PDB file of all heavy atoms in Angstrom:
ATOM      1  N   HIS A 239       6.298   7.328 -20.178  1.00 64.00           N
ATOM      2  CA  HIS A 239       5.418   6.494 -19.291  1.00 64.00           C
ATOM      3  C   HIS A 239       4.485   7.382 -18.499  1.00 64.00           C
ATOM      4  O   HIS A 239       3.243   7.037 -18.434  1.00 64.00           O
ATOM      5  CB  HIS A 239       6.241   5.803 -18.136  1.00 64.00           C
ATOM      6  CG  HIS A 239       6.878   4.443 -18.750  1.00 64.00           C
ATOM      7  ND1 HIS A 239       8.186   4.230 -18.749  1.00 64.00           N
ATOM      8  CD2 HIS A 239       6.293   3.366 -19.334  1.00 64.00           C
ATOM      9  CE1 HIS A 239       8.337   2.973 -19.173  1.00 64.00           C
ATOM     10  NE2 HIS A 239       7.218   2.488 -19.587  1.00 64.00           N
ATOM     11  N   LEU A 240       4.763   8.574 -18.058  1.00 68.00           N
ATOM     12  CA  LEU A 240       3.814   9.366 -17.317  1.00 68.00           C
ATOM     13  C   LEU A 240       2.766   9.912 -18.280  1.00 68.00           C
ATOM     14  O   LEU A 240       1.569   9.897 -17.919  1.00 68.00           O
ATOM     15  CB  LEU A 240       4.710  10.644 -16.744  1.00 68.00           C
ATOM     16  CG  LEU A 240       5.528  10.399 -15.539  1.00 68.00           C
ATOM     17  CD1 LEU A 240       6.322  11.596 -15.206  1.00 68.00           C
ATOM     18  CD2 LEU A 240       4.580  10.231 -14.332  1.00 68.00           C
ATOM     19  N   LYS A 241       3.088  10.283 -19.484  1.00 74.00           N
ATOM     20  CA  LYS A 241       2.179  10.845 -20.483  1.00 74.00           C
ATOM     21  C   LYS A 241       1.182   9.596 -20.832  1.00 74.00           C
ATOM     22  O   LYS A 241       0.038   9.859 -20.874  1.00 74.00           O
ATOM     23  CB  LYS A 241       2.945  11.194 -21.794  1.00 74.00           C
ATOM     24  CG  LYS A 241       1.951  11.823 -22.812  1.00 74.00           C
ATOM     25  CD  LYS A 241       2.781  12.319 -23.932  1.00 74.00           C
ATOM     26  CE  LYS A 241       1.853  12.914 -25.018  1.00 74.00           C
ATOM     27  NZ  LYS A 241       2.536  13.302 -26.194  1.00 74.00           N
ATOM     28  N   LYS A 242       1.692   8.389 -21.060  1.00 70.00           N
ATOM     29  CA  LYS A 242       0.795   7.232 -21.391  1.00 70.00           C
ATOM     30  C   LYS A 242      -0.159   6.959 -20.209  1.00 70.00           C
ATOM     31  O   LYS A 242      -1.292   6.667 -20.412  1.00 70.00           O
ATOM     32  CB  LYS A 242       1.618   6.141 -21.698  1.00 70.00           C
ATOM     33  CG  LYS A 242       0.860   4.802 -22.166  1.00 70.00           C
ATOM     34  CD  LYS A 242       1.731   3.660 -22.511  1.00 70.00           C
ATOM     35  CE  LYS A 242       0.976   2.462 -22.998  1.00 70.00           C
ATOM     36  NZ  LYS A 242       1.837   1.365 -23.284  1.00 70.00           N
ATOM     37  N   MET A 243       0.475   7.058 -18.898  1.00 66.00           N
ATOM     38  CA  MET A 243      -0.290   6.878 -17.707  1.00 66.00           C
ATOM     39  C   MET A 243      -1.467   7.776 -17.602  1.00 66.00           C
ATOM     40  O   MET A 243      -2.627   7.394 -17.306  1.00 66.00           O
ATOM     41  CB  MET A 243       0.581   6.794 -16.512  1.00 66.00           C
ATOM     42  CG  MET A 243      -0.091   6.657 -15.154  1.00 66.00           C
ATOM     43  SD  MET A 243       1.136   6.814 -13.882  1.00 66.00           S
ATOM     44  CE  MET A 243       1.704   8.501 -14.010  1.00 66.00           C
ATOM     45  N   LEU A 244      -1.177   8.984 -17.675  1.00 72.00           N
ATOM     46  CA  LEU A 244      -2.185  10.060 -17.558  1.00 72.00           C
ATOM     47  C   LEU A 244      -3.290  10.038 -18.632  1.00 72.00           C
ATOM     48  O   LEU A 244      -4.405  10.091 -18.368  1.00 72.00           O
ATOM     49  CB  LEU A 244      -1.535  11.406 -17.523  1.00 72.00           C
ATOM     50  CG  LEU A 244      -0.703  11.728 -16.426  1.00 72.00           C
ATOM     51  CD1 LEU A 244       0.083  13.143 -16.545  1.00 72.00           C
ATOM     52  CD2 LEU A 244      -1.479  11.770 -15.036  1.00 72.00           C
ATOM     53  N   TYR A 245      -2.798   9.748 -19.843  1.00 76.00           N
ATOM     54  CA  TYR A 245      -3.752   9.575 -21.071  1.00 76.00           C
ATOM     55  C   TYR A 245      -4.634   8.382 -20.735  1.00 76.00           C
ATOM     56  O   TYR A 245      -5.900   8.489 -20.995  1.00 76.00           O
ATOM     57  CB  TYR A 245      -2.983   9.351 -22.373  1.00 76.00           C
ATOM     58  CG  TYR A 245      -3.860   9.121 -23.534  1.00 76.00           C
ATOM     59  CD1 TYR A 245      -4.424  10.304 -24.154  1.00 76.00           C
ATOM     60  CD2 TYR A 245      -4.124   7.915 -24.027  1.00 76.00           C
ATOM     61  CE1 TYR A 245      -5.351  10.074 -25.296  1.00 76.00           C
ATOM     62  CE2 TYR A 245      -5.006   7.678 -25.094  1.00 76.00           C
ATOM     63  CZ  TYR A 245      -5.537   8.809 -25.670  1.00 76.00           C
ATOM     64  OH  TYR A 245      -6.352   8.615 -26.757  1.00 76.00           O
ATOM     65  N   GLY A 246      -4.083   7.334 -20.213  1.00 70.00           N
ATOM     66  CA  GLY A 246      -4.971   6.194 -19.952  1.00 70.00           C
ATOM     67  C   GLY A 246      -5.984   6.376 -18.864  1.00 70.00           C
ATOM     68  O   GLY A 246      -7.081   5.896 -18.930  1.00 70.00           O
ATOM     69  N   VAL A 247      -5.694   7.270 -17.917  1.00 70.00           N
ATOM     70  CA  VAL A 247      -6.564   7.540 -16.866  1.00 70.00           C
ATOM     71  C   VAL A 247      -7.762   8.343 -17.358  1.00 70.00           C
ATOM     72  O   VAL A 247      -8.951   8.163 -17.148  1.00 70.00           O
ATOM     73  CB  VAL A 247      -5.933   8.410 -15.656  1.00 70.00           C
ATOM     74  CG1 VAL A 247      -6.926   8.972 -14.657  1.00 70.00           C
ATOM     75  CG2 VAL A 247      -4.898   7.364 -14.934  1.00 70.00           C
ATOM     76  N   VAL A 248      -7.337   9.501 -18.097  1.00 76.00           N
ATOM     77  CA  VAL A 248      -8.453  10.438 -18.492  1.00 76.00           C
ATOM     78  C   VAL A 248      -9.298   9.859 -19.666  1.00 76.00           C
ATOM     79  O   VAL A 248     -10.408  10.360 -19.896  1.00 76.00           O
ATOM     80  CB  VAL A 248      -7.796  11.796 -18.980  1.00 76.00           C
ATOM     81  CG1 VAL A 248      -7.152  12.510 -17.873  1.00 76.00           C
ATOM     82  CG2 VAL A 248      -6.908  11.597 -20.168  1.00 76.00           C
ATOM     83  N   THR A 249      -8.846   8.908 -20.360  1.00 80.00           N
ATOM     84  CA  THR A 249      -9.563   8.233 -21.507  1.00 80.00           C
ATOM     85  C   THR A 249     -10.214   6.964 -21.045  1.00 80.00           C
ATOM     86  O   THR A 249     -10.767   6.157 -21.772  1.00 80.00           O
ATOM     87  CB  THR A 249      -8.730   7.995 -22.685  1.00 80.00           C
ATOM     88  OG1 THR A 249      -7.585   7.115 -22.333  1.00 80.00           O
ATOM     89  CG2 THR A 249      -8.205   9.281 -23.311  1.00 80.00           C
ATOM     90  N   ASN A 250     -10.129   6.590 -19.814  1.00 80.00           N
ATOM     91  CA  ASN A 250     -10.674   5.271 -19.131  1.00 80.00           C
ATOM     92  C   ASN A 250     -12.183   5.399 -19.373  1.00 80.00           C
ATOM     93  O   ASN A 250     -12.846   6.334 -18.855  1.00 80.00           O
ATOM     94  CB  ASN A 250     -10.246   5.128 -17.731  1.00 80.00           C
ATOM     95  CG  ASN A 250     -10.658   3.785 -17.212  1.00 80.00           C
ATOM     96  OD1 ASN A 250     -11.907   3.477 -17.248  1.00 80.00           O
ATOM     97  ND2 ASN A 250      -9.772   3.018 -16.726  1.00 80.00           N
ATOM     98  N   PRO A 251     -12.799   4.482 -20.044  1.00 85.00           N
ATOM     99  CA  PRO A 251     -14.210   4.539 -20.260  1.00 85.00           C
ATOM    100  C   PRO A 251     -15.107   4.652 -18.967  1.00 85.00           C
ATOM    101  O   PRO A 251     -16.172   5.266 -18.882  1.00 85.00           O
ATOM    102  CB  PRO A 251     -14.526   3.254 -21.025  1.00 85.00           C
ATOM    103  CG  PRO A 251     -13.268   3.014 -21.731  1.00 85.00           C
ATOM    104  CD  PRO A 251     -12.274   3.347 -20.809  1.00 85.00           C
ATOM    105  N   LEU A 252     -14.596   3.951 -17.899  1.00 79.00           N
ATOM    106  CA  LEU A 252     -15.291   3.804 -16.617  1.00 79.00           C
ATOM    107  C   LEU A 252     -15.211   5.281 -16.001  1.00 79.00           C
ATOM    108  O   LEU A 252     -16.320   5.861 -15.562  1.00 79.00           O
ATOM    109  CB  LEU A 252     -14.558   2.819 -15.638  1.00 79.00           C
ATOM    110  CG  LEU A 252     -14.660   1.407 -16.121  1.00 79.00           C
ATOM    111  CD1 LEU A 252     -13.945   0.572 -15.073  1.00 79.00           C
ATOM    112  CD2 LEU A 252     -16.036   0.907 -16.392  1.00 79.00           C
ATOM    113  N   ILE A 253     -14.042   5.932 -16.159  1.00 81.00           N
ATOM    114  CA  ILE A 253     -14.035   7.380 -15.496  1.00 81.00           C
ATOM    115  C   ILE A 253     -14.805   8.253 -16.316  1.00 81.00           C
ATOM    116  O   ILE A 253     -15.481   9.124 -15.783  1.00 81.00           O
ATOM    117  CB  ILE A 253     -12.473   7.821 -15.495  1.00 81.00           C
ATOM    118  CG1 ILE A 253     -11.648   6.721 -14.708  1.00 81.00           C
ATOM    119  CG2 ILE A 253     -12.363   9.131 -14.923  1.00 81.00           C
ATOM    120  CD1 ILE A 253     -12.109   6.595 -13.325  1.00 81.00           C
ATOM    121  N   ILE A 254     -14.908   8.089 -17.682  1.00 87.00           N
ATOM    122  CA  ILE A 254     -15.689   8.952 -18.557  1.00 87.00           C
ATOM    123  C   ILE A 254     -17.199   8.764 -18.183  1.00 87.00           C
ATOM    124  O   ILE A 254     -17.955   9.827 -18.036  1.00 87.00           O
ATOM    125  CB  ILE A 254     -15.437   8.715 -20.050  1.00 87.00           C
ATOM    126  CG1 ILE A 254     -14.066   9.161 -20.355  1.00 87.00           C
ATOM    127  CG2 ILE A 254     -16.472   9.539 -20.817  1.00 87.00           C
ATOM    128  CD1 ILE A 254     -13.666   8.739 -21.746  1.00 87.00           C
TER     129      ILE A 254
END
Side-chain angles (χ1 to χ4, degrees):
H239 275 125
L240 283 170
K241 183 178 179 181
K242 184 177 180 180
M243 174 181 67
L244 293 172
Y245 179 79
V247 170
V248 299
T249 59
N250 185 306
L252 300 179
I253 301 303
I254 293 172

